[in-house]
Amino acid sequence: MTGYLFVPRRNGFPMSRPPNPEVRFRLLSAGYDVVLDQGFHGCGVQNITAAASVPKGSFYNYFESKEAFATEILDAYWQNIEDRYTPFLRDAETAPLERIAYFFRAISDDHAVTDFRHGCLIGNLALELSSASEKTRVRLKSILGRWEEYLATCLREAQKRGDLAKKRDVKQLASIIIEAYEGAVMRCKVERTRRACDQFEKVALPLLLA
């Protein structure tokens, strides 16, 4: 079953359209599950192609390398987060600080579907590949920057409403919120409960936004 937080797109990936886009779609979808289950370094191309029911040699018809594959599943993973969860941050009917709480709660609810067994792909690959792959590190940095900007936009709105002190550095605050949440997800992955994410929502986030 494809990871709950991952909905690969059949079109729109950075590489040119391959001879059989359905095969590429299967490699991304099945390979995503393999990377979450086994870790990037814990699985090989053989594991990915076997899960997708594709000959091993076909992998390199669609991806230049396993590293290139990692950046593509990262892009699809983040795009899915933007599509599904950033509407919470743009909901003009809800106070900005409440939107941020709803955003993180929704993501935590999806992690809970698998009892937090998989964690966050962004955090997972940051731990595994930031030192080993410059290409992946740069892609992760870009994704984190986009995430920060979504939160910072909400925080600026909160400042305009008087819900957040104008002296607060919203870019810095957004960064700290993400770091705190990623740490909570990692702890949930270890404990296989949502205790740390609940603690983030009920204790850490209110303190950061006070």
Side-chain angles (χ1 to χ4, degrees):
M1 179 180 294
T2 302
Y4 193 66
L5 281 173
F6 182 75
V7 181
R9 295 186 171 195
R10 295 171 188 269
N11 300 302
F13 286 95
M15 292 178 65
S16 59
R17 190 176 179 87
N20 188 342
E22 185 62 31
V23 171
R24 190 168 186 274
F25 177 84
R26 281 159 48 200
L27 284 166
L28 286 165
S29 181
Y32 166 84
D33 288 336
V34 171
V35 170
L36 276 185
D37 285 337
Q38 301 179 27
F40 182 81
H41 292 309
C43 70
V45 170
Q46 176 69 51
N47 303 111
I48 295 168
T49 54
S53 300
V54 172
K56 181 179 179 181
S58 297
F59 181 87
Y60 295 102
N61 294 331
Y62 299 91
F63 308 100
E64 294 178 359
S65 63
K66 190 181 169 197
E67 175 187 345
F69 174 82
T71 62
E72 294 226 24
I73 60 173
L74 262 176
D75 284 343
Y77 180 83
W78 174 251
Q79 187 62 56
N80 188 52
I81 288 176
E82 285 194 343
D83 292 345
R84 295 181 62 187
Y85 304 117
T86 58
F88 285 103
L89 301 177
R90 297 193 296 266
D91 180 9
E93 300 299 317
T94 304
L97 299 185
E98 290 181 19
R99 295 179 216 165
I100 292 174
Y102 293 154
F103 170 84
F104 284 107
R105 186 181 308 155
I107 295 178
S108 295
D109 286 345
D110 273 357
H111 284 308
V113 171
T114 58
D115 295 323
F116 295 88
R117 184 168 61 89
H118 292 147
C120 170
L121 185 68
I122 296 168
N124 294 351
L125 292 186
L127 290 172
E128 286 200 83
L129 293 178
S130 290
S131 298
S133 168
E134 179 65 10
K135 182 177 181 178
T136 308
R137 185 193 69 79
V138 170
R139 189 64 55 87
L140 284 162
K141 182 179 178 182
S142 174
I143 288 171
L144 289 170
R146 286 159 65 184
W147 191 353
E148 287 174 8
E149 188 52 41
Y150 276 116
L151 294 179
T153 297
C154 247
L155 294 169
R156 291 186 191 101
E157 288 187 47
Q159 286 179 322
K160 290 178 181 178
R161 286 168 48 100
D163 297 337
L164 184 70
K166 293 188 182 298
K167 66 180 180 179
R168 301 291 297 274
D169 182 332
V170 296
K171 289 286 288 183
Q172 181 187 68
L173 181 54
S175 176
I176 293 170
I177 290 170
I178 292 169
E179 290 155 13
Y181 184 72
E182 283 294 315
V185 172
M186 182 175 68
R187 186 68 180 265
C188 288
K189 183 178 179 180
V190 171
E191 296 180 350
R192 301 288 172 85
T193 74
R194 68 179 297 153
R195 183 196 63 81
C197 279
D198 284 345
Q199 187 167 268
F200 166 84
E201 181 185 335
K202 296 174 182 177
V203 181
L205 189 58
L207 284 173
L208 288 169
L209 298 179

